[in-house]
Amino acid sequence: MEKSDETLMREHQQGNPAALEELFGRYKLKLFNFAYRILSDRAEAEDVTAELFLTLITKAGSYEPRAKFSTWVYAVVRNGCVSKIRRRRSLVFFSQRPEKEEGEEGQWEPVGGEPGPDEQAERKDRAGWVQAALKNLPLPQREAIVLMEYQGLSYAEIGEVLHCSLDNVKVMIFRARESLRKELAPILEERPS
């Protein structure tokens, strides 16, 4: 029988290094994907994910389960993403860097089996369209839709992560879906069936 996340965290607090390894295995990819979809930057997403696990190592004693472990780690990663976005905005304001050229940003690479080249190209195109559409959403809507659609969290868990009411979560997800539907409709209509 698989141990719960909370049990593993308690074992980690008691000095069991294998418990942290198991938590790392369970959450590394999920948390990285969440951060990446929010930040649209692979290096920053890796930093946020690494910072979470560094926090688990250095401050294990201060963790007290007030919510599900998964909700807590998503909230920590979300806060790291928000901090990165704030720093990014202040860097753009104060720096005189040239604007990025089109096509310079990182690209999402689908994870899974090995489909053929045509299917890989189609998936990459779709992922790029979705990533671009996600980027255009207001941050709270982007966070809510990513937590629901990509991370599989419930409305209640999303409310805990985003520190908002259940009704607010439902509204954000509805608005995000409507915005995505409108933005992706022309692209999806052009594709052959």
Side-chain angles (χ1 to χ4, degrees):
M1 183 166 153
E2 188 175 89
K3 293 179 183 178
S4 72
D5 297 335
E6 292 75 15
T7 299
L8 288 171
M9 190 58 190
R10 278 193 300 277
E11 288 180 10
H12 167 59
Q13 288 174 316
Q14 296 166 355
N16 179 357
L20 183 61
E21 286 179 36
E22 190 166 340
L23 285 170
F24 183 76
R26 286 182 188 180
Y27 284 96
K28 179 187 176 203
L29 188 58
K30 291 177 184 178
L31 295 172
F32 168 77
N33 284 334
F34 170 62
Y36 182 69
R37 286 184 175 95
I38 298 302
L39 297 168
S40 298
D41 184 288
R42 182 175 296 280
E44 286 185 339
E46 288 172 352
D47 287 348
V48 168
T49 306
E51 287 168 9
L52 166 75
F53 286 102
L54 184 60
T55 299
L56 286 178
I57 293 168
T58 59
K59 299 182 180 178
S62 63
Y63 169 77
E64 292 181 28
R66 293 187 186 112
K68 284 177 55 177
F69 179 80
S70 60
T71 304
W72 179 76
V73 293
Y74 278 110
V76 172
V77 170
R78 176 201 182 251
N79 291 340
C81 290
V82 169
S83 294
K84 292 273 186 198
I85 290 169
R86 285 183 183 144
R87 271 188 244 126
R88 196 188 287 168
R89 287 180 183 156
S90 67
L91 287 174
V92 171
F93 180 78
F94 289 110
S95 79
Q96 295 184 4
R97 293 183 300 176
E99 294 293 319
K100 281 187 173 182
E101 300 277 334
E102 262 189 58
E104 274 190 31
E105 53 192 58
Q107 295 186 6
W108 180 75
E109 298 170 13
V111 179
E114 291 298 321
D118 291 342
E119 189 176 337
Q120 284 180 345
E122 178 70 20
R123 282 184 183 182
K124 191 171 184 177
D125 286 346
R126 268 195 315 254
W129 298 330
V130 171
Q131 188 65 29
L134 282 171
K135 239 172 147 175
N136 291 333
L137 291 175
L139 183 60
Q141 289 179 21
R142 185 178 346 149
E143 292 171 329
I145 198 76
V146 167
L147 286 169
M148 169 152 286
E149 298 298 334
Y150 292 99
Q151 305 305 318
L153 270 63
S154 69
Y155 286 109
E157 291 170 324
I158 294 168
E160 288 180 44
V161 171
L162 301 181
H163 307 292
C164 62
S165 72
L166 189 61
D167 288 337
N168 198 6
V169 170
K170 290 177 182 178
V171 168
M172 286 190 292
I173 289 173
F174 174 79
R175 289 181 179 164
R177 285 180 175 154
E178 287 299 306
S179 295
L180 290 172
R181 188 174 293 120
K182 286 178 187 173
E183 189 162 342
L184 294 172
I187 295 167
L188 296 175
E189 288 172 5
E190 291 174 6
R191 291 180 49 222
S193 298

